[in-house]
Amino acid sequence: MKKILAFVFLIILIAFASTNLLAQAGGELHFCLRSEPKTLNPLLAADDASETIRYLTGGVLVRVNRLTQELERDLATSWKITNGGKTITFQLRDGLRFSDGTPFSADDVAFTMQQLMDPALHSPTGDAFRSSEGKVETEVLPKNRVRITFPAPIAGLDRLFDQVAVMSAKSPQKEMAVLGPYYVGENKAGSYLILKRNPNYWEKDPAGRPLPYIESVRLDIQQNRDIEMLRLTRGEIHFINSLDAEYFDKVVAQDPSMAHDAGASLDSEEMWFNQVANSPLPSYKKAWFTSTNFRRAISEAINREDLARIVFRGHARPAVGPVSPANKFWFNAKLQAHPFDQKSALQRLAQDGFRYQDGVLHDHDGHVVEFSVITNAGNKYRERMATMIQQDLSGVGIKLNVVTLDFPSLIERITRTFDYEACLLGLVNDELDPNAQMTVWLSSADSHQWNPSQKTPTTAWEAEIDKLMRAQASTLDPKKRKEDFDKVQEIAWQQEPFIYLVNKNALSAVSPAVHNAHPVVLRPQVYWNIDQLSLTNEVARNR
């Protein structure tokens, strides 16, 4: 009996091992880019397609694990921040080579930093490191170490290096020589790119086998979402990294095993009122929009649960404030989404002298409360949200007019002419750290959308947010930073310059042929662990 059990156990082990090996047999992974990469220089990557290439090919000193949201070692084995947050010193891995065989050393890190911080390059990645005027000093140290000193402290400094792909100072291939799992092997403009396995990639799996498992990656440029979906169902591509709710439900209907809902993403949909003092709005409407009671009342009159359930088919959740609950560390868990309460909304309005009579709301001077909200034409989700908000506000006697504009015209109104009353748009968040939101919350910032580029804060609460945002950015103590940014979230929740509506879920579709895929809420949702993905043996043979 024992021999039979042992034999059966041996068969199971062999079968498991065989399956594991079959799933790691190379092959070619296929997925689509929505546009052609604007650049292959990783320091200039700003569009989604260029960011994808950077992520798949670039080696970085430290890496944010998209699943745990923790910082991990990559090209650097250790690092230390000193000098009051101005200096970071990296210990680098020994014996590494770029994809073309050029040796990697601290000189390459120094070269990369020189390029990154060169004002003539205009690197969007470099902007995150510009804490103050002055030169960034990089010093190559003995024993394969490098020290980088900035002119002023940078909170969360180490995490910023997750975005910096190290370039070779000596390779004749320049930015095409890479340290990541893949390199660009073929680039047919407007059609596709093929990435090939980097033969010098340093990382191995726990069994000592070289990574990545997959031999090559084909990236087809495909703007049409319907064609992309069709190709997925035919098995021509292996995943779609980000789906909207409607396409996601189509995937569920066709093959539920491919559908992945990772929960609330970092992205938000919000509405705000124009509070610019010199905007071409009548003074009585300016008075409405600058009133905290008015903004809070509008917020309470909107049914966020219905927006999430109907517009996004349940693949969203009511938003709380500037930070999504998907941001595990920085989210202020004490706050809750504002409830749908039209009775409370009318009570708030009454405090400002508004009168509700015969189904119509008037202000204290007798003006009928009516305003317009602009949003971008062609975005069916925002158009649907605007229509539902229109219905909700009619419940408190407010007439809302929905105006859809082409995107350039919308941007013109909210950034230059300020000829609008309210706007409904979304905010895409790629970064966890609050410093990424500096351009939104500082009253002097261009993206302080409800009242941008203020010379001095217009309100006391905006001045307090300025103070808190600068305070959290100037200390290295994570606890103190968290306390300060929690207060920012509380003020935003109380004042509602942005009326946060929903956080959309991170939705994706992945073929069962892809092994070890764990879609997450942070970009890139599906291929964040690209070097550990593998394909079934059958797929690997046929590609």
Side-chain angles (χ1 to χ4, degrees):
M1 185 65 164
K2 290 182 179 179
K3 290 182 179 179
I4 294 174
L5 289 174
F7 178 74
V8 171
F9 183 66
L10 179 61
I11 293 295
I12 293 172
L13 283 177
I14 292 172
F16 176 79
S18 300
T19 301
N20 197 40
L21 288 171
L22 289 175
Q24 299 171 3
E28 185 169 86
L29 183 74
H30 290 199
F31 67 99
C32 294
L33 300 176
R34 302 270 166 79
S35 63
E36 186 173 2
K38 287 184 170 57
T39 180
L40 295 181
N41 184 331
L43 304 186
L44 294 176
D47 59 292
D48 285 345
S50 300
E51 284 282 0
T52 296
I53 304 302
R54 182 197 63 77
Y55 193 88
L56 295 173
T57 63
V60 294
L61 295 171
V62 294
R63 176 80 69 187
V64 174
N65 183 306
R66 266 54 176 180
L67 180 62
T68 65
Q69 300 184 10
E70 297 295 328
L71 202 56
E72 298 178 340
R73 297 176 293 174
D74 206 271
L75 299 178
T77 58
S78 63
W79 58 94
K80 186 176 183 180
I81 297 174
T82 55
N83 192 21
K86 294 193 291 186
T87 299
I88 186 167
T89 304
F90 291 100
Q91 175 65 60
L92 307 179
R93 294 184 187 274
D94 294 320
L96 303 190
R97 291 181 178 273
F98 286 86
S99 54
D100 67 339
T102 305
F104 163 65
S105 71
D107 290 330
D108 301 306
V109 178
F111 171 77
T112 301
M113 290 306 300
Q114 178 187 9
Q115 295 293 305
L116 182 75
M117 304 310 296
D118 183 353
L121 188 66
H122 301 292
S123 168
T125 305
D127 288 343
F129 292 91
R130 301 187 201 282
S131 59
S132 179
E133 296 293 329
K135 189 176 180 182
V136 176
E137 302 287 347
T138 305
E139 182 180 0
V140 174
L141 304 174
K143 299 182 179 180
N144 209 18
R145 293 178 299 142
V146 61
R147 178 188 297 141
I148 307 167
T149 299
F150 297 86
I154 302 176
L157 174 60
D158 48 0
R159 299 180 76 91
L160 293 177
F161 284 91
D162 170 80
Q163 304 292 319
V164 182
V166 177
M167 300 173 64
S168 173
K170 299 177 181 177
S171 171
Q173 293 189 11
K174 298 183 179 179
E175 68 265 18
M176 302 305 289
V178 297
L179 291 163
Y182 295 94
Y183 68 93
V184 177
E186 187 176 350
N187 181 12
K188 187 171 183 180
S191 183
Y192 65 85
L193 295 93
I194 292 180
L195 310 184
K196 296 185 178 180
R197 187 195 332 229
N198 178 359
N200 297 316
Y201 188 56
W202 60 273
E203 194 155 13
K204 293 179 170 56
D205 71 8
R209 290 170 294 195
L211 296 175
Y213 296 128
I214 295 172
E215 185 67 31
S216 59
V217 180
R218 181 185 174 101
L219 305 169
D220 291 322
I221 299 168
Q222 179 55 257
Q223 296 180 352
N224 189 300
R225 305 292 295 275
D226 291 323
I227 294 176
E228 185 181 33
M229 272 289 296
L230 183 61
R231 295 191 65 193
L232 177 72
T233 56
R234 287 176 174 174
E236 296 174 5
I237 60 174
H238 290 106
F239 65 80
I240 299 177
N241 191 62
S242 178
L243 287 170
D244 62 28
E246 185 174 330
Y247 283 104
F248 182 81
D249 283 349
K250 289 180 180 178
V251 173
V252 171
Q254 294 176 12
D255 186 350
S257 68
M258 292 199 298
H260 295 269
D261 184 341
S265 70
L266 299 181
D267 300 343
S268 61
E269 297 288 324
E270 61 258 7
M271 171 180 166
W272 72 87
F273 290 104
N274 180 359
Q275 298 184 50
V276 177
N278 63 356
S279 63
L281 302 181
S283 57
Y284 67 90
K285 287 194 175 183
K286 291 180 182 178
W288 299 350
F289 301 157
T290 55
S291 164
T292 302
N293 276 332
F294 184 85
R295 297 191 301 271
R296 288 289 299 271
I298 297 300
S299 178
E300 289 181 343
I302 296 172
N303 192 328
R304 291 169 172 80
E305 294 281 357
D306 274 0
L307 295 179
R309 179 175 57 85
I310 298 172
V311 176
F312 295 97
R313 300 170 178 245
H315 304 301
R317 61 178 292 173
V320 176
V323 179
S324 165
N327 193 336
K328 297 176 182 178
F329 179 75
W330 293 106
F331 175 65
N332 185 341
K334 295 178 182 178
L335 303 179
Q336 300 291 325
H338 289 284
F340 175 54
D341 189 341
Q342 294 191 328
K343 182 179 178 180
S344 175
L346 286 170
Q347 290 172 347
R348 288 186 184 279
L349 290 165
Q351 293 176 30
D352 278 8
F354 289 88
R355 293 177 290 104
Y356 179 73
Q357 186 175 5
D358 298 327
V360 178
L361 188 70
H362 299 79
D363 69 10
H364 59 81
D365 291 326
H367 298 108
V368 172
V369 180
E370 176 181 353
F371 61 87
S372 299
V373 62
I374 60 174
T375 194
N376 52 316
N379 187 309
K380 57 190 175 184
Y381 296 97
R382 291 189 187 128
E383 290 176 356
R384 290 171 187 168
M385 278 196 294
T387 299
M388 291 186 66
I389 293 170
Q390 184 182 56
Q391 294 171 350
D392 286 341
L393 295 187
S394 69
V396 292
I398 296 174
K399 183 179 179 182
L400 175 65
N401 301 307
V402 178
V403 179
T404 59
L405 300 172
D406 63 86
F407 206 65
S409 297
L410 185 147
I411 296 299
E412 174 79 7
R413 292 208 190 188
I414 67 175
T415 62
R416 296 188 62 187
T417 67
F418 303 113
D419 185 13
Y420 76 101
E421 295 177 336
C423 183
L424 172 61
L425 274 183
L427 181 66
V428 175
N429 285 308
D430 292 322
E431 300 289 338
L432 297 171
D433 196 277
N435 281 350
Q437 296 195 31
M438 278 290 205
T439 57
V440 173
W441 292 108
L442 290 182
S443 60
S444 58
D446 293 340
S447 299
H448 191 73
Q449 212 62 70
W450 64 93
N451 190 6
S453 306
Q454 300 174 36
K455 292 182 179 179
T456 57
T458 301
T459 63
W461 58 267
E462 286 173 293
E464 182 64 14
I465 286 179
D466 283 359
K467 176 183 174 183
L468 290 166
M469 288 299 293
R470 291 192 175 102
Q472 66 80 28
S474 63
T475 179
L476 301 183
D477 182 355
K479 183 178 178 181
K480 180 63 169 61
R481 292 191 70 205
K482 169 71 171 165
E483 290 174 356
D484 287 340
F485 196 56
D486 275 356
K487 291 176 183 176
V488 170
Q489 294 174 68
E490 289 168 9
I491 295 171
W493 187 91
Q494 292 163 356
Q495 295 293 332
E496 297 206 85
F498 286 126
I499 297 175
Y500 288 94
L501 300 169
V502 297
N503 294 118
K504 298 180 294 183
N505 286 10
L507 308 175
S508 57
V510 184
S511 165
V514 181
H515 291 256
N516 203 33
H518 303 287
V520 294
V521 299
L522 301 185
R523 290 181 173 83
Q525 291 93 326
V526 174
Y527 57 91
W528 64 273
N529 59 336
I530 184 68
D531 57 349
Q532 298 171 46
L533 297 183
S534 58
L535 300 172
T536 61
N537 183 258
E538 181 180 358
V539 171
R541 283 200 305 267
N542 293 335
R543 291 294 179 188

